[in-house]
Amino acid sequence: MENIPYKIYLSESEIPKQWYNVRADMKNKPAPLLNPETLKPMTLEELSGVFCTELAAQELNDTDPYIDIPDEIRDFYKMYRPAPLVRAYCLEKYLDTPAKIYYKFEGNNTSGSHKLNSAIAQAYYAKKQGLKGVTTETGAGQWGTALSMACAYLGLDCKVFMVKCSYEQKPFRREVMRTYGADVTPSPSETTEVGRKILAKHPDTSGSLGCAISEAVEAAVKSERYRYVLGSVLSQVLLHQSIIGLEAKTALDKYGVKPDMIIGCAGGGSNLGGLISPFMGEKLRGEKDYEFVAVEPASCPSFTRGKYAYDFCDTGMVCPLAKMYTLGSGFIPSASHAGGLRYHGMSSVLSQLYDDGLMTARSVTQTEVFEAARQFARIEGILPAPESSHAIRVAIDEAVKCKETGEEKTILFGLTGTGYFDMVAYQRFNDGQMGDYIPTDEDLKAGFEGLPNTNFDRVIEK
Amino acid sequence: MENIPYKIYLSESEIPKQWYNVRADMKNKPAPLLNPETLKPMTLEELSGVFCTELAAQELNDTDPYIDIPDEIRDFYKMYRPAPLVRAYCLEKYLDTPAKIYYKFEGNNTSGSHKLNSAIAQAYYAKKQGLKGVTTETGAGQWGTALSMACAYLGLDCKVFMVKCSYEQKPFRREVMRTYGADVTPSPSETTEVGRKILAKHPDTSGSLGCAISEAVEAAVKSERYRYVLGSVLSQVLLHQSIIGLEAKTALDKYGVKPDMIIGCAGGGSNLGGLISPFMGEKLRGEKDYEFVAVEPASCPSFTRGKYAYDFCDTGMVCPLAKMYTLGSGFIPSASHAGGLRYHGMSSVLSQLYDDGLMTARSVTQTEVFEAARQFARIEGILPAPESSHAIRVAIDEAVKCKETGEEKTILFGLTGTGYFDMVAYQRFNDGQMGDYIPTDEDLKAGFEGLPNTNFDRVIEK
């Protein structure tokens, strides 16, 4: 074996001091968020009603390539970062492949995923602005947990609207958040106007992410001292998550390794965008070439079967409009255990890069994903989150192809987190009771019909 | 702040190449295991019927200070080791203490604890001996999970007898083991003679650790190709766990730091023994002095209220007799959420060291422990296992004392694992429904009456 260790840990001083903003190097900038009433690009002032001012500025900043990471955030990062870059020697040996496989592992923290990287940043700016707290929604619970941890550390209030069925079915995630002091409310709830409206209409509803977003936004905007925060999709989130790719690149550069292919799972795009950003920067600047692969669930295929169009980010239609690959905000993904990937849309940044042909996408079925997850757990020791396992599936498939062709491809993928709170899904798989759900064209058509049909292009200045 | 990072990671080449066997440096050796029929010390041959031969030899070896770690085991260690030594800067700041607090964190692996260090060793020797598999019992599930992971990696069968109430109440632990391919049987079961006997007598029993041990031993000895393995108490386990202390010591030595006090939770003693071993060696050889503190639950106080006597290791009385601090093998600890510490006895090695006045012990109540756990989670980010939190409790108490006295004490404690599968306990605590259970003298008396009353000392050769 080469002189590359199983795990490459950077030193604390090598934790990046700046995030990288890939938008600065994009020729075709991502389309701006639009005010749903005026259909004009959201201004800093408008965004500041919902987000902290500094985060609103980051959301709009598509020119500065580097943005300083405040020392206070770096101190928090030091508690769980640098995250290891792992050489999957055992998996390579097991697959008997000439491919070299690396993964950036973001699961070594209590939130169990990369979400903490942006949670601490968003909480920090809220604290700095003198706010009392933040509001958010959570589905699978990884984002809510991460935000609870960040808020506990900074002494901020944290109000989480948790989709009611998750609240009931994932009581342990809920308890982690409560242990960190968060106020967790099952959504829809009686605490907001939108919640009360929905409950009056559908008293037995088990809730949805779209409804929880609307409640969290309402709870934020009705108080001067709260703002709303979000764990994915937004460009500010991709900015914070660039730390994943920056650390990975530094670690690979140390050993003179250049990945040929970089693979990440894609729901709203926070992990994938963060992982690929610095590599994509090199590609955009014409310095190096890489193959980027987004892996999404076949049950929610926004890249591979969606449309590139302006759409609502939430089902309540209170948030700004974003141009993105989307299945329509009315599209209800069928039950899937990778809750973190069940989003109808996709980051505007990644959508533009995909539309420009700078990256590719594949969709995989749930059972294929869990087969890869179980294999990976047994060989590499880490029990992966269902979301992360989408990337594992494609990494294994590529490594097997290399065995056939003899190609010594270097593969890097993002292992976003652990599956410790996903054992109901593993149980279904272990019991042979897991099915696959692939929407028909008819299913998708219904979602597309819900797309706003205004001609938005007239308002976009490029 | 000093030039000491938040987390000290050794390099891969610094993973110890030998385990340290503290028994070699003990003047008063731990008393030998006795054959319950002959009341004579167990021979290698006798032990080899239950354990792999190489492990039986390690169990009896109280002379060699260092034992080589096979390369295959070191390769496995590289997947999750070196474990970080963490400087608890945030906790120090929060407590406003002049004390310097370090913890060795063993939770960054899927089993969630230090148990994996011995699981891979025991599985490796079983594989090397050409066995088909191993059997064991598990209560809280950490040990069973660790063993399942090690067996999956080596392609060994793994039969786990899981105490029935845990099997039913901790379905997620069970699913992790199944995902790693283990055969998990609720105990008592119809698959063993001892299980059938118990079920005939108590058809509604929810099982006990003692019964599960007896079933696992029976399942092992009735097949030539299986052996029994155990996650704590045994001297071989302490030997494997010495890697915790060796890594911690190397990391501290690098920065010229000498701990004044070393704290560990104590159930059977595997973590505490492993953590303190190399430091205790220095103390035994008269090179340096340290204060060692074992922390045990007030509900199961074997050190602080037990007797130092020969006793059965299991309630079925099929295992060898061990001299140890014990509450009697018939003592049933009342319900406590730190399942890993609910054992009536204590490692013979630690018992001898404690009896010789080389270490001290304290007991703490469950609610005190969870208060410390929650505080630690919010400040240091890691949600600790209830077991580990016993050590956190005392570390915080000591740091607070330092604030009062101004002493700049250096404290090292073992953070053995994470609490991700203990959220039922956290929920009870969050809801204010957790109680404390302290056995009365009357309760203890019943346990002591069950102690074998032979005069064993006559058979011990010193």
Side-chain angles (χ1 to χ4, degrees), chain B residues 240-446:
Chain B
H240 306 147
Q241 295 296 357
S242 68
I243 196 163
I244 304 172
L246 290 165
E247 280 187 10
K249 193 164 179 320
T250 303
L252 288 170
D253 285 349
K254 267 195 173 180
Y255 289 89
V257 176
K258 180 193 166 292
D260 299 300
M261 178 180 271
I262 303 176
I263 303 166
C265 61
S270 70
N271 152 69
L272 178 68
L275 174 67
I276 69 174
S277 274
F279 301 98
M280 182 61 85
E282 290 190 321
K283 183 163 175 164
L284 288 165
R285 296 189 302 270
E287 295 163 9
K288 274 186 193 160
D289 195 21
Y290 301 95
E291 189 178 352
F292 300 104
V293 185
V295 190
E296 58 186 16
S299 59
C300 193
S302 41
F303 264 145
T304 50
R305 297 175 69 195
K307 290 197 173 166
Y308 190 34
Y310 263 104
D311 193 10
F312 298 102
C313 293
D314 61 326
T315 38
M317 305 181 184
V318 298
C319 295
L321 291 157
K323 190 174 179 192
M324 55 186 178
Y325 275 84
T326 178
L327 300 166
S329 65
F331 176 78
I332 308 285
S334 54
S336 151
H337 295 295
L341 305 182
R342 291 179 72 223
Y343 184 67
H344 68 277
M346 181 61 66
S347 144
S348 292
V349 174
L350 294 181
S351 292
Q352 186 62 50
L353 292 167
Y354 181 67
D355 201 57
D356 287 341
L358 290 157
M359 52 184 287
T360 62
R362 299 183 198 174
S363 75
V364 290
T365 63
Q366 185 166 243
T367 49
E368 289 175 314
V369 165
F370 273 83
E371 270 158 29
R374 188 164 67 184
Q375 198 173 43
F376 184 83
R378 291 183 182 180
I379 298 162
E380 285 285 318
I382 298 168
L383 186 88
E387 291 83 356
S388 327
S389 305
H390 285 68
I392 297 174
R393 174 73 274 163
V394 171
I396 289 177
D397 290 347
E398 287 294 319
V400 169
K401 262 190 235 165
C402 288
K403 188 184 173 180
E404 288 156 15
T405 62
E407 191 184 355
E408 293 186 24
K409 195 181 268 190
T410 297
I411 296 168
L412 166 65
F413 72 89
L415 188 67
T416 56
T418 50
Y420 308 149
F421 290 91
D422 300 288
M423 295 318 298
V424 170
Y426 273 98
Q427 181 171 0
R428 286 186 69 84
F429 180 69
N430 290 335
D431 288 341
Q433 289 172 352
M434 182 174 281
D436 286 320
Y437 312 90
I438 303 174
T440 64
D441 289 341
E442 211 54 33
D443 295 334
L444 294 185
K445 206 176 147 197

Side-chain angles (χ1 to χ4, degrees), chain B residues 195-269:
Chain B
R196 285 189 294 272
K197 261 190 204 164
I198 292 170
L199 282 174
K201 216 169 165 184
H202 309 284
D204 296 326
T205 179
S206 60
S208 74
L209 205 52
C211 167
I213 293 179
S214 304
E215 287 204 87
V217 171
E218 182 186 322
V221 297
K222 81 179 173 198
S223 161
E224 266 302 301
R225 303 198 56 205
Y226 282 81
R227 287 295 183 284
Y228 170 69
V229 296
L230 182 65
S232 191
V233 185
L234 298 172
S235 301
Q236 61 186 272
V237 177
L238 266 71
L239 173 72
H240 306 147
Q241 295 296 357
S242 68
I243 196 163
I244 304 172
L246 290 165
E247 280 187 10
K249 193 164 179 320
T250 303
L252 288 170
D253 285 349
K254 267 195 173 180
Y255 289 89
V257 176
K258 180 193 166 292
D260 299 300
M261 178 180 271
I262 303 176
I263 303 166
C265 61

Side-chain angles (χ1 to χ4, degrees), chain A residues 5-7 9 12 78 81 110 149 174-175 178-181 377-378 381-383 420 427 430-431, chain B residues 5-7 9 12 78 81 110 149 174-176 178-181 377-378 381-383 420 427 430-431:
Chain A
Y6 279 62
K7 290 185 266 71
Y9 275 107
E12 210 158 273
K78 287 175 192 167
R81 306 198 71 82
T110 290
M149 290 175 66
R174 181 189 75 207
E175 284 310 317
R178 286 185 68 212
T179 302
Y180 281 92
R378 293 183 182 182
I382 298 167
L383 187 88
Y420 308 150
Q427 180 170 2
N430 290 335
D431 289 340
Chain B
Y6 279 62
K7 290 186 266 71
Y9 276 106
E12 211 159 271
K78 287 174 192 167
R81 304 198 72 82
T110 290
M149 289 174 67
R174 183 188 74 206
E175 284 309 317
V176 178
R178 286 183 69 211
T179 302
Y180 280 94
R378 291 183 182 180
I382 298 168
L383 186 88
Y420 308 149
Q427 181 171 0
N430 290 335
D431 288 341

